[in-house]
């Protein structure tokens, strides 16, 4: 994933409400959202490395990962997509998982990881050094920098999620998908400087990235209630932002 906003323990029905976009090269093979046949995982699948960028399990746990934008980093180590699939396959709670992962976080390519279980949520990262941070109740955002770094598109998506919460919405996710489809770039004076050049910073500052070789591949909304029941909805896109289908999967915990 490259852009995420989520509300943790901030809604009367949903303990977790998450909206995010996955940006990737269109040539990288991936499978759409589905129930995996070889693991208790509901997710899309990276067919190149085998992991996933965002997924849930039938008990209502969730995991999502982003990369860290730094052109100077050699990008060495294990695939960060395994972080999500290993978390969902494993039996540890979020607290124990955070402790265990922090000890070996340096063995992965640069990552930001969010994990959620029935009681706890954690942010974990490995740049510039491994760290774990418990997530407090409220609305938070994450992109390709540190947790809650106020990049313009992260702030905008967080604000639109907060507006959805304030409106008392429960099951109409249309406004969240509209926010994820926003192609408006950030104002020039608000562009971050991550070492990739001004033109590319401008292009990547929109929530939805439209491109023939690289761009937004999927937009996803996850809603998990306080009993662990929930749904995940994925909208997929091809080169040039062309719509490629939608999948919704509901589950009942237990």
């Amino acid at each position: 994933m490259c852009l995420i906003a989520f509300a943790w323990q901030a809604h009367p029905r949903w303990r977790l409400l998450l909206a995010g976009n996955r940006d990737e090269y269109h040539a990288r093979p991936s499978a759409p959202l589905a129930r995996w046949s070889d693991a208790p995982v509901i997710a899309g699948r990276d067919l190149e490395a085998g992991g996933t960028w965002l997924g849930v399990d039938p008990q209502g746990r969730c995991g999502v990962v982003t990369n860290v934008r730094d052109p100077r980093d050699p990008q060495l180590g294990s695939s960060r997509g395994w972080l999500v699939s290993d978390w969902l396959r494993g039996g540890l709670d979020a607290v124990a998982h955070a402790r265990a992962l922090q000890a070996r976080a340096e063995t992965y390519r640069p990552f930001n990881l969010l994990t959620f279980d029935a009681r706890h949520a954690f942010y974990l990262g490995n740049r510039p050094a491994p760290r774990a941070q418990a997530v407090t109740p409220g609305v938070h955002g994450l992109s390709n920098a540190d947790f809650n770094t106020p990049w313009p598109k992260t702030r905008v998506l967080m604000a639109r999620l907060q507006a959805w919460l304030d409106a008392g919405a429960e099951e109409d996710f249309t406004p969240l998908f509209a926010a994820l489809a926003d192609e408006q770039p950030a104002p020039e004076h608000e562009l971050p400087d991550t070492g990739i050049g001004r033109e590319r910073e401008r292009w990547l500052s929109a929530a939805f990235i439209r491109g023939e070789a690289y761009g937004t591949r999927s937009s996803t909304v996850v809603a998990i209630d306080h009993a662990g029941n929930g749904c995940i909805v994925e909208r997929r896109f091809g080169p040039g932002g062309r719509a490629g289908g939608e999948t919704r999967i509901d589950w009942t915990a237990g």
Side-chain angles (χ1 to χ4, degrees):
M1 303 297 282
C2 286
L3 175 62
I4 302 161
F6 67 93
W8 171 246
Q9 303 287 9
H11 187 278
R13 178 177 178 183
W14 306 117
R15 76 170 181 234
L16 173 65
L17 196 289
L18 182 149
N21 277 345
R22 177 199 180 210
D23 302 334
E24 182 56 87
Y25 287 99
H26 289 292
R28 187 172 181 125
S30 60
L33 175 69
R35 295 179 183 270
W36 291 12
S37 61
D38 58 345
V41 174
I42 303 170
R45 198 163 200 165
D46 175 19
L47 298 180
E48 184 172 298
T52 187
W53 51 93
L54 166 64
V56 299
D57 72 8
Q59 302 307 311
R61 298 191 307 157
C62 180
V64 58
V65 69
T66 79
N67 66 2
V68 177
R69 189 191 301 171
D70 183 353
R72 300 164 299 180
D73 196 293
Q75 300 286 321
L76 300 176
S78 300
S79 170
R80 54 187 151 255
W82 295 350
L83 292 163
V84 176
S85 54
D86 287 351
W87 152 245
L88 295 174
R89 292 172 190 263
L92 297 178
D93 64 23
V95 177
H97 173 267
R99 291 171 180 158
L101 178 58
Q102 189 170 5
R104 54 186 173 85
E106 289 183 329
T107 65
Y108 290 87
R109 296 172 191 171
F111 72 83
N112 295 309
L113 175 69
L114 294 167
T115 58
F116 306 90
D117 65 16
R119 297 177 56 199
H120 302 99
F122 271 86
Y123 161 76
L124 302 104
N126 69 345
R127 293 296 189 275
R131 63 200 182 283
Q133 173 184 334
V135 175
T136 57
V139 173
H140 301 275
L142 180 63
S143 188
N144 303 122
D146 287 346
F147 184 46
N148 282 331
T149 296
W151 280 6
K153 65 179 180 180
T154 310
R155 295 199 317 267
V156 170
L157 186 59
M158 290 170 62
R160 294 181 73 168
L161 174 55
Q162 184 64 61
W164 188 91
L165 297 172
D166 293 343
E170 285 200 11
E171 293 196 27
D172 181 9
F173 302 135
T174 304
L176 300 180
F177 279 111
L180 293 171
D182 187 358
E183 297 185 52
Q184 179 66 38
E188 197 73 17
H189 68 279
E190 293 185 5
L191 292 176
D193 182 3
T194 61
I196 60 174
R198 203 68 172 170
E199 183 177 351
R200 192 167 179 82
E201 295 282 13
R202 187 180 303 109
W203 180 50
L204 296 178
S205 71
F208 188 93
I209 310 302
R210 186 181 298 271
E212 290 299 324
Y214 178 92
T216 298
R217 294 280 302 272
S218 61
S219 296
T220 307
V221 171
V222 177
I224 302 174
D225 70 16
H226 295 278
N229 311 308
C231 67
I232 179 170
V233 186
E234 177 188 84
R235 293 182 178 177
R236 293 175 294 280
F237 306 93
R242 292 184 288 275
E246 177 176 323
T247 301
R248 172 171 174 150
I249 296 178
D250 296 76
W251 73 89
T252 301

